[in-house]
Amino acid sequence: MTRSTALTCLLASFVGLSLGCGDDGTAETGPDDGNVDTSDTDPGDGDPSTTDDPGDGDGDSGDGDGDPGDGDGDGDGDGDGDGDSGDGDGDGDVDTSTYSAVIMPGDFDRITITRTNIDEPNCTRMVIYSPVGFDDFDIDMPDQWQIEEVYSWQQGFCPMDNANPMHFPNAGTGKISVAGYDALMTYPCALNFDIELDMNSDPPATTIWKTSAVVVNGVNCG
């Protein structure tokens, strides 16, 4: 004769036996039991543990929940491919050039800015002058200052005599700003650049000027 499990448990309870028929109050350690595991052998089961289960979605680093360093694309600039600079997505353009600037007194107030880049290689000279009201470049400039000319060489230095430039960029976008003026408010003490120049090369190319606080030599800024 076969007894049901329920009947067997009932009979056992009359004689004081425990056959594992119910919860005896002991913390179980099986997977998905909901108990706190002190040494979790079932990673990813979602129950709380004192050691981290990678990938369980409980908020720890590396589990894809949006924390820094998880590779989760969460927009925090940690190099995870989320569109921030430095993550290899193409939008974090870096200018590794060297800049210098010097005043050129004359009928107009002029400043010559030289940008050299041995990695490209390229050397570009820009002359800005004042007082003028407009130019051919779509670049925001300080009042009365505009671009007079730009010329470029495909080498990591500019000739002292500016001989035989290879390109004459005549278009660009962005902004050139001033960091303070001299006592007479004639020359800027330093210049900030955030511009792109369209090079009339074959094939066409763009040169990025992105730097701050280029000191203008020859200006007495105290």
Side-chain angles (χ1 to χ4, degrees):
M1 184 174 81
T2 302
R3 296 190 183 92
S4 69
T5 301
L7 180 58
T8 299
C9 291
L10 179 61
L11 293 173
S13 67
F14 289 148
V15 296
L17 296 177
S18 175
L19 300 182
C21 299
D23 190 350
D24 58 6
T26 302
E28 300 169 36
T29 57
D32 307 313
D33 56 21
N35 294 310
V36 176
D37 302 328
T38 58
S39 180
D40 196 354
T41 58
D42 186 21
D45 58 11
D47 58 351
S49 60
T50 56
T51 58
D52 186 27
D53 301 335
D56 58 10
D58 60 2
D60 297 303
S61 175
D63 51 28
D65 58 5
D67 296 317
D70 322 13
D72 45 28
D74 52 11
D76 54 11
D78 51 13
D80 49 22
D82 50 31
D84 297 288
S85 62
D87 46 23
D89 57 13
D91 65 351
D93 297 312
V94 176
D95 184 358
T96 58
S97 306
T98 300
Y99 292 83
S100 62
V102 61
I103 62 172
M104 299 172 57
D107 294 337
F108 287 89
D109 299 322
R110 285 183 169 87
I111 301 173
T112 297
I113 305 102
T114 301
R115 172 195 183 273
T116 58
N117 191 307
I118 60 175
D119 297 322
E120 296 178 353
N122 179 270
C123 182
T124 307
R125 279 213 169 107
M126 174 189 295
V127 178
I128 62 175
Y129 68 134
S130 174
V132 289
F134 64 92
D135 61 19
D136 294 330
F137 294 82
D138 188 19
I139 293 176
D140 292 336
M141 299 277 293
D143 289 345
Q144 298 188 14
W145 285 90
Q146 297 297 333
I147 297 174
E148 183 177 23
E149 56 186 357
V150 182
Y151 28 97
S152 175
W153 298 262
Q154 286 185 284
Q155 58 192 31
F157 63 94
C158 289
M160 293 296 294
D161 58 1
N162 293 334
N164 303 317
M166 301 181 67
H167 307 296
F168 298 89
N170 58 6
T173 58
K175 182 177 182 179
I176 300 175
S177 60
V178 168
Y181 283 91
D182 63 7
L184 299 178
M185 298 297 291
T186 302
Y187 287 104
C189 295
L191 297 167
N192 307 315
F193 296 91
D194 188 3
I195 65 175
E196 292 185 3
L197 292 177
D198 298 330
M199 311 299 286
N200 56 341
S201 56
D202 186 18
T206 298
T207 298
I208 297 171
W209 293 42
K210 195 174 184 66
T211 190
S212 300
V214 177
V215 175
V216 182
N217 292 311
V219 180
N220 183 10
C221 290

